[in-house]
Each structure stands twice: as C-alpha cells, then as structure tokens.
C-alpha cells in the first residue's frame, strides 16, 4: 500500500504500472481519495461529506499556470461534484458513524497529468 512521506506519495510497483497504462483517450489523470472522521454540519447531522479538488499542473499542459486555480480547474471540480451528487453515486447518509457526533469526510484530489483536450 502507499505510504505518505511528507508531501509525497510512495506508490507500489503495481500502482506505478496502473498509472502508466490507464488513460481515457490521451488525457491522463491521477486521483487520491482520503477519508477523515469529523463532526457533521449542524444542519445535516446524519450526513458525511464529499469534497472534490482538481489541479491542472503546467507540467500537464503549458497553458496551465501555477498558483491559484483557474476557471477550468474550478469548473471541472464542480462538474464532477455535481455529477456524483445528482446521480446519488455516493450515499452521504451511509457516511454517518454516530448521528450529530461523527461522520466520514471524503476528499478526492484529481491531478491532471497529461492534458489532451
């Protein structure tokens, strides 16, 4: 399994092979999913959370600028978030451990490795 070392991820041999071979068209992305137990929002005491974060690196395409996320980055994150929520692919109530006390907060980080349009 992966081990977190500072701000870097160490991948196993199988994970590296997976990253090298899997793609949709010519665009390549890598995603990391993490989970943390937190207190729920007061207005949704029986629901966990799902957060989507995207990153367009200049390494993926020279037109992407480092620093603050651009409009494309924000819009992609919103599009994925909306698609998952509206399809009910994630049941946020199933992320509840103890009502009004403890829920899972799921974070998905999506990194564009190679942008092909």
């Amino acid at each position: 399994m992966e081990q977190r070392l500072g701000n870097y991820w160490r991948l196993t041999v199988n994970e590296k092979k997976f990253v090298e071979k899997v793609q949709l068209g010519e665009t390549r992305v890598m995603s990391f999913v993490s989970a943390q137990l937190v207190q729920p929002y007061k207005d949704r005491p029986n629901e966990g959370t799902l957060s989507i974060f995207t990153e367009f690196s200049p390494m993926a395409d020279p037109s992407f600028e480092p620093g603050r996320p651009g409009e494309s980055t924000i819009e992609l994150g919103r599009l994925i978030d909306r698609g998952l929520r509206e399809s009910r692919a994630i049941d946020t109530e199933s992320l509840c451990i103890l009502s009004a006390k403890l829920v899972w907060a799921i974070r998905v980080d999506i990194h564009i490795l190679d942008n092909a349009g």
Side-chain angles (χ1 to χ4, degrees):
M1 295 306 265
E2 67 229 12
Q3 297 173 339
R4 181 127 190 188
L5 301 174
N7 290 329
Y8 300 96
W9 288 92
R10 175 180 281 169
L11 301 175
T12 66
V13 172
N14 287 335
E15 289 169 329
K16 286 179 187 176
K17 287 180 184 177
F18 178 80
V19 168
E20 292 170 357
K21 293 183 181 183
V22 175
Q23 65 187 48
L24 178 61
E26 295 298 316
T27 298
R28 292 176 181 233
V29 300
M30 181 186 309
S31 297
F32 294 101
V33 178
S34 56
Q36 182 177 4
L37 289 170
V38 298
Q39 287 186 326
Y41 293 117
K42 291 182 181 186
D43 62 333
R44 298 188 180 263
N46 299 319
E47 293 184 28
T49 61
L50 172 68
S51 303
I52 307 290
F53 297 91
T54 55
E55 178 189 354
F56 288 91
S57 166
M59 188 167 66
D61 190 311
S63 67
F64 301 144
E65 295 185 23
R68 260 185 112 176
E71 287 181 38
S72 298
T73 304
I74 294 167
E75 184 57 32
L76 177 61
R78 287 179 180 163
L79 180 70
I80 294 168
D81 182 70
R82 191 170 42 246
L84 289 171
R85 288 181 198 284
E86 290 179 7
S87 69
R88 297 187 157 207
I90 306 294
D91 177 12
T92 54
E93 286 187 11
S94 70
L95 300 174
C96 180
I97 303 298
L98 185 59
S99 182
K101 300 282 186 197
L102 206 56
V103 297
W104 285 107
I106 308 296
R107 178 185 171 116
V108 180
D109 290 284
I110 302 170
H111 302 277
I112 308 301
L113 300 177
D114 188 8
N115 178 38

